[in-house]
Amino acid sequence: MGLKQSSKINGRCITMQTAFLAVCLATSLFTSPFTATDLMQPAAAAPRRSDYLAYDRFRTTSEATPAAVEKYKQALTLYDNQDMDGAIVKFQELLKIAPKCAGAYYSMGASYLWNDDYQKALDAFNKGVALAPTDFELRYRRAFAFISLLKYTQAIEDLDIALKMRPERTDAIKLRAKCYLGLKKPDKAAENFGLCIKINPNDSEAYISRAQAYLEQKKFQEALKDTTFMTQKVPDEGLGFFLHGKALMGLKRYKEAATAFDRAISVGTEHSRDCLTMKRECHQLLGKSK
């Protein structure tokens, strides 16, 4: 799934088109805890598989008259073509015919998210959840609307309920972790990233995100363990070496830290300027001049 590719701001979901890193990582821990990738998920450039599954479920209900099914198809086609205004109109027409169609609220809410109309998105998801309170995808998608409105606590509440239904869904666990970062609770975030690692021991995003959360808490030894894993597992990823260097600096292992920053620059990282600054600081702390 993907939202619009252009970026308006880099902030806490004030708009859905953020310029944040794909795994919510930055030089310091999360200037904003959410990524373009994260926030793109509810409102895809084309409907997600879950949108079509909701459509298929609707077709088996008593409300699925030929006219209602046709409206639903038209709405998803417009959504598929990124005509969100047109899709919203068709979903509204569908709901006049089939007012209990939770799937229409699910996809219509995503259309509003695409248009940066977060309150209307939340209103749509609220109606959908009222009709289908045990629908994982509705809870998950509504969490994004709460996040867009900076309502992290409410988002966590939805994700808690969703994860009771689908505890294996690491995407929801990661989103909950990022909500905790938004609430300035890196310890809780690290716990959630740890849950992802238990489910998938090779989840590189979870390792690197947990390392970032550990760095925020100044738990440098724990961060070093995760970054060591990452630099060995993904030796061509500059971000891993950058965070590795920060952990080593925190442990006052300045010579090793400088080497890690060099490695980050050599394999490529958008933090090159920070790496150079920190490398110089390491040399200064070692009593060397650069």
Side-chain angles (χ1 to χ4, degrees):
M1 298 181 293
L3 248 185
K4 305 171 187 176
Q5 297 302 308
S6 61
S7 297
K8 292 183 179 177
I9 65 167
N10 176 23
R12 289 200 178 117
C13 314
I14 300 298
T15 73
M16 290 295 288
Q17 301 100 328
T18 68
F20 207 73
L21 294 178
V23 290
C24 296
L25 298 169
T27 305
S28 60
L29 182 64
F30 304 110
T31 305
S32 158
F34 302 99
T35 74
T37 300
D38 294 331
L39 298 178
M40 290 171 191
Q41 290 184 27
R48 295 175 56 190
R49 181 170 178 268
S50 54
D51 289 284
Y52 286 113
L53 288 174
Y55 166 71
D56 288 338
R57 286 195 298 271
F58 172 73
R59 292 171 63 191
T60 67
T61 68
S62 60
E63 285 192 316
T65 63
V69 170
E70 182 60 27
K71 289 288 185 186
Y72 209 149
K73 285 173 61 178
Q74 291 172 357
L76 287 179
T77 297
L78 290 165
Y79 188 9
D80 196 26
N81 292 326
Q82 301 183 30
D83 180 356
M84 298 302 160
D85 291 333
I88 289 166
V89 169
K90 289 299 178 184
F91 283 126
Q92 290 172 336
E93 293 175 357
L94 165 60
L95 286 163
K96 289 179 181 178
I97 303 171
K100 295 181 180 180
C101 180
Y105 287 115
Y106 176 69
S107 298
M108 183 168 69
S111 301
Y112 279 125
L113 285 179
W114 178 286
N115 283 348
D116 302 335
D117 199 335
Y118 310 128
Q119 187 57 55
K120 286 186 179 179
L122 180 59
D123 292 342
F125 294 138
N126 285 342
K127 292 175 182 177
V129 170
L131 290 168
T134 60
D135 188 307
F136 172 93
E137 297 293 349
L138 264 166
R139 293 275 183 181
Y140 180 62
R141 198 168 271 188
R142 186 170 72 169
F144 281 94
F146 280 130
I147 290 164
S148 302
L149 295 166
L150 308 184
K151 296 181 178 181
Y152 301 132
T153 300
Q154 293 93 323
I156 289 170
E157 290 171 358
D158 259 349
L159 292 166
D160 284 344
I161 292 170
L163 284 163
K164 287 180 180 178
M165 295 183 268
R166 299 285 301 279
E168 80 286 357
R169 283 286 294 266
T170 56
D171 53 346
I173 298 172
K174 289 174 186 175
L175 188 61
R176 184 171 64 185
K178 294 164 190 176
C179 288
Y180 280 121
L181 290 170
L183 292 171
K184 308 298 184 185
K185 295 182 178 181
D187 55 332
K188 296 291 289 184
E191 288 177 16
N192 277 268
F193 290 127
L195 289 176
C196 295
I197 291 168
K198 286 183 179 179
I199 295 170
N200 178 8
N202 293 312
D203 188 335
S204 58
E205 179 188 345
Y207 274 104
I208 208 162
S209 297
R210 187 172 67 175
Q212 193 80 336
Y214 282 146
L215 287 171
E216 178 71 5
Q217 300 172 77
K218 301 187 184 304
K219 292 184 176 181
F220 301 116
Q221 192 62 53
E222 289 90 339
L224 185 64
K225 290 179 182 178
D226 282 351
T227 58
T228 297
F229 174 86
M230 278 304 303
T231 54
Q232 293 173 350
K233 180 178 173 60
V234 191
D236 59 349
E237 172 54 61
L239 181 58
F241 286 100
F242 172 61
L243 297 178
H244 193 59
K246 291 182 72 176
L248 288 164
M249 277 193 77
L251 293 169
K252 300 182 179 180
R253 293 163 60 176
Y254 301 122
K255 185 175 181 179
E256 295 168 86
T259 300
F261 293 133
D262 269 338
R263 179 64 175 162
I265 294 168
S266 67
V267 299
T269 174
E270 62 184 87
H271 302 299
S272 295
R273 182 175 297 178
D274 295 311
C275 286
L276 287 170
T277 299
M278 292 180 180
K279 178 185 171 183
R280 292 190 189 102
E281 184 178 349
C282 286
H283 285 301
Q284 290 171 357
L285 290 167
L286 285 167
K288 299 177 181 179
S289 60
K290 192 69 178 171

